Amino acid sequence: MRIEAITTVAQFDALQDRWRELEAACPTTSIFLTWEWQRLWWRHYGQARQLCILAAWDDGKLLGVLPLYIEKRRLRGVLPVRKLRQIGAGGDTAPDDLDPLLHAACLEPVATALAEHVAQHLAGWDALDFNDLQPDAPFTVALIDASRRNAALLRVGEPSRIIYGVLPANWEAFLGGLSYHRRGVVRRLRRKFEQQDGARVIQSHEEVSLDAAFDRLAKLHRLRWAGRTDQPSFTTPEYLGFHRDLMHALLARGRLRLLELELGGRSVAMLYGYRLGDRFYYFQSGFDPGVAPLSPGELLLGYAIESAILEGCATFDMLKGDYDHKRHFFQQTRGTVGVKAYRPGVAAWAYRCKEWLDARAKPPHGANQPQSRQTADVEAG
């Protein structure tokens, strides 16, 4: 097996067809490791970062892809550190599943080869900071083992909980699985909304109208979070450009899901998600606070779940963030972990000092306030 480092955009683009073939052959492919997400993320967020994709080849066949980059940071604003990260992490958008793409026929040997290459042979980094890995996946296990043998400092974070649900065959069966109270709430909210003048649920969008739909989503999301967070999504040029391009790319592949609520011809709420295989991913939403008495968030989620069931999805993935509105519909959880490792040297010593200082400055238990997905991601970065 040969591990190749892809360091130029031209080499990245040349992987497109093989990358997509590997997506189909990888049992743990997520929407965040698809060609569209990865390539567009690099287009909008790759500036001032050094591309470093690892590709595993055997007899001309692509068996694994670990999309990485190196960025220069300053620890405590002073010590320069070259940090190795996954493509998709580190910007102001928040992917959830960033395990490498591995061919189903050889998961463990490819995972081990990639992890060993990162720990022993890949030059140019002082600190490794990987997020959103499946805790017991072959690559995570191999990376932790290789880092223990080769790094001066290793940290494995506490799992981040992700709420999801296994979907039944039809909507009535789903409602039957809810509590008596929640079932009544869902039906009552629908009746109330559908009795409004001009009430309409839009569940499909065309290419010619997609830019206008994106603009409505961005506006509704900012309205929803106005005054509630200093860092709402859909604000920076990078975030807006990335997700606009991503929507167009995923629409062309049949993977985009946009649901919209209208009242009297006016858009009042939108939900933005993805479909990959038999999985529906709920990513973002927004609504006009003026219609808050209609509970548009719960309405949208209910319609999205019903739509996912009708199109044959087996799983509804709520992605990161353990919030009450998600628990209203699903109770199952899975976890992802982060792995940090420092090579021997000044950076490892300085990071130990940083940990000590952070521990001394940590606020009392319970003082932290809930954060949005994006705020948490930015602070973690």
Side-chain angles (χ1 to χ4, degrees), residues 92-104:
D92 59 354
T93 193
D96 282 49
D97 298 291
L98 292 177
D99 295 87
L101 292 173
L102 305 173
H103 198 286

Side-chain angles (χ1 to χ4, degrees), residues 83-152:
K83 183 178 286 190
L84 184 67
R85 305 197 70 178
Q86 301 130 300
I87 293 179
D92 59 354
T93 193
D96 282 49
D97 298 291
L98 292 177
D99 295 87
L101 292 173
L102 305 173
H103 198 286
C106 45
L107 291 174
E108 292 193 5
V110 178
T112 300
L114 288 170
E116 292 291 340
H117 188 86
V118 168
Q120 296 189 51
H121 307 297
L122 184 62
W125 64 270
D126 306 303
L128 176 152
D129 186 2
F130 286 5
N131 300 318
D132 302 297
L133 300 172
Q134 302 301 312
D136 299 320
F139 177 75
T140 309
V141 173
L143 179 66
I144 292 171
D145 180 60
S147 297
R148 283 196 177 116
R149 288 184 280 107
N150 294 280

Side-chain angles (χ1 to χ4, degrees), residues 98-280:
L98 292 177
D99 295 87
L101 292 173
L102 305 173
H103 198 286
C106 45
L107 291 174
E108 292 193 5
V110 178
T112 300
L114 288 170
E116 292 291 340
H117 188 86
V118 168
Q120 296 189 51
H121 307 297
L122 184 62
W125 64 270
D126 306 303
L128 176 152
D129 186 2
F130 286 5
N131 300 318
D132 302 297
L133 300 172
Q134 302 301 312
D136 299 320
F139 177 75
T140 309
V141 173
L143 179 66
I144 292 171
D145 180 60
S147 297
R148 283 196 177 116
R149 288 184 280 107
N150 294 280
L153 180 64
L154 171 68
R155 292 288 185 266
V156 180
E158 291 296 320
S160 297
R161 286 194 296 182
I162 295 173
I163 299 172
Y164 74 98
V166 176
L167 299 176
N170 58 68
W171 174 243
E172 287 304 316
F174 175 79
L175 287 177
L178 300 178
S179 69
Y180 175 81
H181 170 72
R182 181 52 47 191
R183 186 163 59 247
V185 168
V186 171
R187 287 173 169 157
R188 184 168 63 252
L189 289 175
R190 283 199 175 189
R191 285 196 303 270
K192 185 177 180 180
F193 170 72
E194 292 168 2
Q195 288 168 359
Q196 305 294 312
D197 290 337
R200 191 160 71 114
V201 182
I202 303 170
Q203 300 192 38
S204 62
H205 292 79
E206 299 179 350
E207 177 71 25
V208 294
S209 61
L210 189 57
D211 282 321
F214 177 84
D215 291 338
R216 294 195 297 273
L217 171 66
K219 179 181 179 181
L220 288 167
H221 183 86
R222 291 193 294 264
L223 283 172
R224 166 70 178 88
W225 289 101
R228 303 185 64 178
T229 176
D230 294 331
Q231 295 176 310
S233 300
F234 297 98
T235 52
T236 67
E238 294 83 4
Y239 193 102
L240 292 166
F242 169 66
H243 282 283
R244 187 185 296 275
D245 287 350
L246 182 65
M247 283 188 182
H248 281 281
L250 294 180
L251 180 66
R253 304 270 295 170
R255 293 172 173 174
L256 176 66
R257 297 296 182 268
L258 281 179
L259 281 80
E260 187 168 9
L261 302 184
E262 271 192 5
L263 285 176
R266 181 174 65 93
S267 179
V268 296
M270 291 187 73
L271 181 147
Y272 168 32
Y274 315 112
R275 164 80 187 268
L276 182 65
D278 63 358
R279 201 174 199 94
F280 186 107

Side-chain angles (χ1 to χ4, degrees), residues 357-368:
L357 291 170
D358 287 347
R360 287 178 60 87
K362 189 176 181 180
H365 179 71
N368 292 332

Side-chain angles (χ1 to χ4, degrees), residues 12 19 32-33 37-39 41-42 51-53 66-69 85-89 95 98:
F12 194 173
W19 188 301
F32 308 109
L33 263 293
W37 184 285
Q38 291 281 304
R39 184 62 184 88
W41 191 94
W42 188 254
L51 188 65
C52 187
I53 299 171
L66 178 58
L68 304 174
Y69 67 87
R85 305 197 70 178
Q86 301 130 300
I87 293 179
L98 292 177

